[in-house]
Each structure stands twice: as C-alpha cells, then as structure tokens.
Amino acid sequence: MMDIEPMESCADPLDQASKRELQQIEAVLADRRAALAHREAPDEDDAGRYCLDCAETIDPKRVAAVDAVRCVACATVRERQAGRKWGKGGALHFVEEQEYGGR
C-alpha cells in the first residue's frame, strides 16, 4: 500500500479528497520513474542499436522515431503476449485471448 502523508485539516471534504488523489498520483508516478530508471539499457555501438531480445540491428529510423530497444518483430511478439494490440490511429487497446489462439 502507498504511504500517504497525514492530511492537514481541511474543512471541505472535496479538498481533502483532491489532496489525497494528488498524493496517490504522485506516488504512482514516483514508482514508475523508479521502474524506468532500472530498465535495461540498450546495447549500442558504431553499427547502431541492437534488439534486446534477438540481438539484430534495429533500423536507425525506428530508433530515431520511438527510441526503440527492440526490433519490430520482437516488439510485436511482446505486445501479443501481453494481450495488447495497436488499433486505428495508434490507440492501444486490450484484445481477447481468443484473437491470438488462446495463449
């Protein structure tokens, strides 16, 4: 559970709720920043950046566009295994397991 600082005395319950919500959001953001800080760094040299999964060179245009650490094929496999799919307009949505063979 998240550690939440004690509320200073607020007469309005909506102010208390707003402050509590902001504290919770800040705690979640701090957790995500910490997780990103421990993310595996990409392997790079003069030839380019290499995929973290298959070690093939990633297209420099892809690296420049999305700061990719995985090639298209490996990123697609990971998204499918996670049950996510990019929809029209780049919107990310969750899909049913049957769509990918019930994995």
Side-chain angles (χ1 to χ4, degrees), residues 1-65:
M1 186 79 185
M2 291 180 261
D3 293 332
I4 298 176
E5 298 175 17
M7 297 301 299
E8 53 188 65
S9 61
C10 292
D12 186 9
L14 292 176
D15 286 341
Q16 289 178 344
S18 293
K19 286 183 181 185
R20 184 166 288 126
E21 183 178 18
L22 284 174
Q23 289 175 344
Q24 291 173 342
I25 290 170
E26 289 171 1
V28 168
L29 288 174
D31 289 345
R32 289 192 179 171
R33 284 187 196 108
L36 287 174
H38 293 92
R39 186 174 72 176
E40 186 176 355
D43 186 18
E44 294 182 88
D45 63 14
D46 293 337
R49 184 177 286 184
Y50 299 94
C51 176
L52 293 177
D53 292 343
C54 70
E56 292 293 322
T57 305
I58 302 171
D59 182 0
K61 292 178 186 176
R62 176 171 168 74
V63 173

Side-chain angles (χ1 to χ4, degrees), residues 83-100:
R84 299 178 297 196
K85 180 180 177 185
W86 291 100
K88 291 184 179 178
L92 182 65
H93 65 276
F94 292 93
V95 295
E96 296 296 321
E97 288 183 12
Q98 303 98 312
E99 190 170 338
Y100 293 111

Side-chain angles (χ1 to χ4, degrees), residues 71-94:
C71 66
V72 173
C74 292
T76 301
V77 168
R78 284 181 158 259
E79 288 172 3
R80 287 183 177 168
Q81 287 174 343
R84 299 178 297 196
K85 180 180 177 185
W86 291 100
K88 291 184 179 178
L92 182 65
H93 65 276
F94 292 93

